[in-house]
Amino acid sequence: MKKYNICIVGGGSRYTPDMLAMLCNQKERFPIKKLVLYDNEKERQEKVGKYAEILFREYYPEIEEIIYTTSMKEAFQDIDFALMQIRVGRLKMREMDEKIALKHGCLGQETCGAGGFAYGLRSIPAIIEIINVIRKYSPKCWILNYSNPAAIVAEATKRIFPNDYRIINICDMPIAILDVYAEVLGKKRKDLEPKYFGLNHFGWFTHIYDTKTGEDYLPKLRELLKTPIDVQTEPLFQEPSWSATFEFMSQMINDYDEYLPNTYLQYYLYPHKMLKKQNPEYTRANEVMDGNEKDTFQRLDAVLANGKLKGTEYDIDGSAGCHAEYIVDLATALANNTKEIFLIITKNNGTISNLDPEMMVEVPCRVGSNGVEPLSVGNIPTFYKGLLENQYAYESLTVDAYAEGSKAKALQALVLNRTVVNTNVAKELLEDLINANADYWPKMQ
Ligand code: G6P
Ligand code: MN
């Protein structure tokens, strides 16, 4: 079986340790020869790198090479898969995004609204630079990009690298939602085959088929989900903001008794209600900094101090990291031409027939060694069409604002966003965001 060289871009991230555990657990299906961790933050990269050495020594002794580095040139040589998960400006800038939006009475959120807009303008230049360097040293590697805000990033990569079918933009949210459906139905995610359409963090499930019998569980699920649920299987979703999100799903399904919405639609369909739930002094970025991020790095410190995981409370023992399994599923599909179906962000090209062919849509795609092949959706009803065209116009204008350094386009983008809307608010918000992002954004005039 071929062994692969893998590079995690954003190797110092709080998500990396679980991904590493997942790679260990999946080694039979997806063997690795070389593991590279790349990050531009030396200290964090070293910590995760040292953790990786201990982890792999214990669970993956057959690996030939582990590298952790802050040099792109060193990192990107001879890579088969780059798994890209960067957060430009880290959680500090996420906090700024969220708090600036809230200061202007708009929703403060990582990928939606003004927060996602600001984050998008930081992500685009960094991602373009990284992809260019990857392409210099590993022209044919698969780039699995799940850096946020994925919708805006995908629009930018489509424009800058239009013929590079080995760049694949994905998000874990539809998968996470499917896990929840599986839990509610008493099934496994792999028993379910979804039909879905939309943009990233802005889409709907239209059918949930049983992979074996073909039965559509959507009507049954819709009824079950009209009552608020309490997710058990995913520990992250026990956190107060995530459990509130899943609880709120019932409201959306009661109000729109048709398809099943991506949880992120709560921000666009109920912006005022969501705004009221937010604390301008303490946002989700603060929760993550004080919670998951802190816990993860404390765990790493403990493992580095112990010099081992096996026989300690940090033993990964088969279970850890299953959530990230779909990344390996996807990589395996690309490497082995399995033609399995995944939800991927890709160019519309007629897949949703009554929408712009240029749109970057999130739809089921067949995946094999020649890339992704979207499966036809057909026409969608007016309500969804209107929402999607409006949201895509916002995303597209955000990328225009980056490409042209245009404040006018930036303003148009913000006004189109359903969480901003008012021109006077958007103007003031934009000025604050420009100042806060001086180190990251292109000059705008
Ligand atoms: C989901 C989304 C990601 C997002 C993450 C935020 O996984 O798909 O796009 O970044 O949630 O979670 P957090 O816990 O950082 O708010
Ligand atoms: Mn996502």
Side-chain angles (χ1 to χ4, degrees), residues 14-15 94 110 148 171-173 201 242 264 284 288:
R14 76 183 147 109
Y15 293 120
R94 176 178 177 177
E110 175 198 20
N148 264 326
C171 163
D172 65 331
M173 201 63 226
H201 289 185
W242 276 111
Y264 280 91
R284 178 69 190 153
V288 176

Side-chain angles (χ1 to χ4, degrees), residues 60-117:
Y60 216 135
E62 50 286 52
I63 198 160
E64 287 173 27
E65 201 178 357
I66 299 178
I67 298 172
Y68 54 90
T69 176
T70 52
S71 151
M72 287 203 223
K73 183 174 174 197
E74 189 188 356
F76 302 155
Q77 308 280 344
D78 194 21
I79 293 297
D80 299 307
F81 287 92
L83 313 182
M84 200 144 118
Q85 41 149 29
I86 64 166
R87 184 186 286 286
V88 180
R90 300 244 312 265
L91 288 165
K92 265 274 142 245
M93 287 308 291
R94 176 178 177 177
E95 180 187 13
M96 287 275 242
D97 294 342
E98 290 169 345
K99 291 188 175 169
I100 292 172
L102 288 167
K103 182 185 141 197
H104 292 277
C106 298
L107 189 95
Q109 216 280 328
E110 175 198 20
T111 63
C112 305
F117 167 84

Side-chain angles (χ1 to χ4, degrees), residues 381-396:
T382 309
F383 175 62
Y384 307 94
K385 182 172 188 281
L387 283 170
L388 289 169
E389 284 173 338
N390 181 87
Q391 176 72 1
Y392 178 68
Y394 146 75
E395 290 164 359
S396 184

Side-chain angles (χ1 to χ4, degrees), residues 281-295:
E281 309 293 327
Y282 197 79
T283 61
R284 178 69 190 153
N286 298 112
E287 278 178 23
V288 176
M289 283 188 273
D290 295 343
N292 186 281
E293 182 170 66
K294 197 163 151 207
D295 295 348

Side-chain angles (χ1 to χ4, degrees), residues 20-28 59 316-322:
L20 296 173
M22 178 271 299
L23 291 172
C24 290
N25 290 335
Q26 305 284 326
K27 67 174 158 185
E28 306 299 333
Y59 299 87
I316 62 162
D317 225 18
S319 58
C322 345

